[in-house]
Amino acid sequence: MGELIVEADGGSRGNPGPAGYGAVVLDPVSGEPLAEAAEYIGVATNNVAEYRGLIAGLKAARELAPEASVRVRMDSKLVVEQMSGRWKIKHPDMKPLAAEAARVFPAAQVRYEWIPRERNKHADRLANEAMDAGKRGQRWQPGHSAALAAARPAATGPGADTAAARVVGDHAAGAAKARAALAGTRPEPGTGSVTGAGARTGAGARTDSGAGTDPGAAPVAGAALAVPSVGAAAAEATTPAVGWAAADLGAPATLVLLRHGETALTPQRRFSGSGGSDPELSDAGRRQAEAAAALLAARGTVQEIVTSPLRRCRQTAAEVAERLGLEVRVEEGLREADFGAWEGLTFAEVRERYPDDLDAWLASPKAAPTGGESFAAVSRRVAAARDRLTTAHAGRTVLAVTHVTPIKTLVRLALGAPPESLFRMELSAASLSVVAYYRDGNASVRLLNDTSHLR
């Protein structure tokens, strides 16, 4: 039996927030797109959107060739592992979607493969096109998507572009090309006919939006599947207003801030910055990192991981990266403050040895620990790192594994709170905090010092 490839993705601008999915069916030999599907699904989470993309991709493949075996490729570790049966599906919103995906093809015909995000660009572009269309109160239109143009190899000669678009946008031609791929033949250029052994004549098929089910997502704009029956209608709808006063703030860059797990110094409450011995995680710290990784994998929202260069953060980030199947990038601006001569000392020991410096440090953010780095200096470098991350990852969710001072600083800056607020926040080892950054410069603190995964 021949094989088709389905690549699918989904995204949520806010998580939950305005969401959409994209899916493409590919010829496994040439990589040529045979069908595309995309839909804006209203307010939903990343996980829901990803599952909806999977369902749409499977249905698109079934429309083309119900007898085919299907290889699904996605950058969602959560969906791949759950659909492969290696992870349990615990979230009540995911169970009906996973069950629907499992019903499209017999289980023996489908296998799942995780791929890095950079190899899933076509489906990612489709999901973003669908969300952009929904934002305009419109419906994604098949056949001439930017994702298709980017995926299609350069063609030459009169009508080359329109011919390629017609193949993807026309069900009979797409089905013929799918059958050709399964039979080891290829359609004649610019037509839906197939030559060679095993070729069959294409037939029309029913319209299927591939929408799936999601009680929590408003069906604001209908799905658009690039293999419609002749005369399939496109229903226009108005996008509901979201956010404060229906303001269009765009998709925020969301930083999920994970403090590293414990080291040997943490329970003793000793100063441990970037100027000390760079301790590693303790056994308790490794267990905390594993617990945080399990929670983040279950949520399935993180799309990028960055970390402080210090060992305890890199070890914590590695635990999460292994569960999510993501790479880790070091961000120097996220390192802890340099506490100079205070490194490794308790507060009481600093009070005894450096009383004047300690009083100055407690009184002013411009005062530095003896031979160390002031809070004002930390604030400048953390703000620069924040700006780099939010600019590079607009509309995406980034896990930043870092330390007490950088996390408190990001929260303080987001709230517009005074420097002394740094001394009024509790931040436990392996705790999670979340800040969303909007393109108008505003920020929203969504979570602070969550340790529920450690209980």
Side-chain angles (χ1 to χ4, degrees):
M1 180 181 292
E3 182 181 63
L4 294 177
I5 293 174
V6 169
E7 293 181 351
D9 200 6
S12 172
R13 295 171 177 174
N15 198 37
Y21 66 70
V24 58
V25 183
L26 302 173
D27 180 325
V29 177
S30 68
E32 180 181 1
L34 304 176
E36 290 179 322
E39 182 189 4
Y40 170 71
I41 59 174
V43 175
T45 65
N46 278 327
N47 289 343
V48 166
E50 287 164 344
Y51 262 109
R52 296 283 296 275
L54 168 63
I55 293 167
L58 290 172
K59 288 184 175 181
R62 186 183 64 188
E63 288 289 333
L64 295 176
E67 74 280 11
S69 62
V70 177
R71 177 154 49 108
V72 175
R73 302 194 299 208
M74 298 181 68
D75 60 37
S76 171
K77 190 77 168 177
L78 177 78
V79 174
V80 168
E81 294 298 318
Q82 288 182 343
M83 292 303 298
S84 298
R86 291 185 289 270
W87 290 3
K88 291 183 179 180
I89 304 172
K90 298 180 180 179
H91 198 288
D93 291 348
M94 302 299 108
K95 290 182 179 180
L97 295 173
E100 182 175 2
R103 290 193 297 268
V104 180
F105 280 94
Q109 284 181 231
V110 185
R111 61 191 179 99
Y112 291 86
E113 174 187 342
W114 177 85
I115 57 174
R117 185 172 63 85
E118 59 269 19
R119 289 176 53 197
N120 202 28
K121 289 182 178 179
H122 192 139
D124 177 71
R125 288 192 186 100
L126 287 171
N128 279 285
E129 286 180 22
M131 285 184 277
D132 291 341
K135 182 178 175 181
R136 298 190 298 268
Q138 298 173 346
R139 165 176 204 276
W140 177 83
Q141 295 298 320
H144 295 279
S145 70
L148 174 61
R152 203 162 52 223
T156 58
D161 185 68
T162 56
R166 185 171 60 251
V167 168
V168 175
D170 176 76
H171 177 271
K177 292 181 77 65
R179 285 193 297 273
L182 298 179
T185 61
R186 291 291 179 268
E188 295 174 352
T191 73
S193 61
V194 181
T195 59
R200 294 183 293 175
T201 303
R206 61 183 174 84
T207 302
D208 192 333
S209 69
T213 58
D214 174 21
V220 177
L225 176 63
V227 287
S229 303
V230 176
E236 294 289 330
T238 303
T239 306
V242 296
W244 286 102
D248 180 11
L249 299 179
T254 302
L255 296 188
V256 178
L257 307 169
L258 172 61
R259 186 190 170 193
H260 61 81
E262 286 186 6
T263 71
L265 300 178
T266 308
Q268 302 174 33
R269 303 183 69 84
R270 295 182 179 274
F271 283 93
S272 180
S274 58
S277 60
D278 195 12
E280 63 181 6
L281 293 180
S282 63
D283 290 343
R286 280 188 284 272
R287 290 193 296 270
Q288 292 168 340
E290 291 169 0
L295 174 68
L296 292 167
R299 289 180 178 175
T301 57
V302 170
Q303 296 162 297
E304 307 280 349
I305 303 176
V306 296
T307 182
S308 156
L310 299 182
R311 186 188 314 179
R312 52 199 184 272
C313 285
R314 288 189 285 108
Q315 290 174 331
T316 303
E319 289 288 345
V320 181
E322 183 177 357
R323 291 292 297 268
L324 299 185
L326 296 175
E327 295 181 356
V328 178
R329 183 173 63 81
V330 171
E331 169 54 65
E332 290 287 341
L334 294 178
R335 59 183 169 81
E336 180 58 288
D338 182 349
F339 292 111
W342 302 358
E343 294 279 356
L345 302 181
T346 65
F347 189 89
E349 289 169 340
V350 172
R351 168 66 72 190
E352 181 182 351
R353 301 181 194 183
Y354 307 99
D356 294 339
D357 286 356
L358 180 61
D359 288 341
W361 181 71
L362 293 172
S364 171
K366 296 181 180 179
T370 310
E373 183 181 25
S374 70
F375 281 149
V378 173
S379 180
R380 287 191 294 271
R381 92 170 137 77
V382 168
R386 172 204 62 194
D387 293 345
R388 286 193 295 272
L389 292 172
T390 56
T391 299
H393 303 291
R396 301 186 70 79
T397 299
V398 179
L399 175 68
V401 185
T402 180
H403 310 262
V404 169
T405 308
I407 294 174
K408 288 185 176 182
T409 298
L410 288 167
V411 171
R412 179 185 78 77
L413 294 174
L415 294 173
E420 56 266 28
S421 64
L422 293 175
F423 297 113
R424 299 173 184 171
M425 298 184 212
E426 178 70 23
L427 208 64
S428 303
S431 64
L432 287 164
S433 303
V434 179
V435 183
Y437 298 90
Y438 294 87
R439 66 185 180 189
D440 66 351
N442 284 313
S444 173
V445 176
R446 299 183 173 182
L447 190 67
L448 180 64
N449 196 38
D450 178 17
T451 58
S452 58
H453 51 289
L454 303 177
R455 297 169 192 162

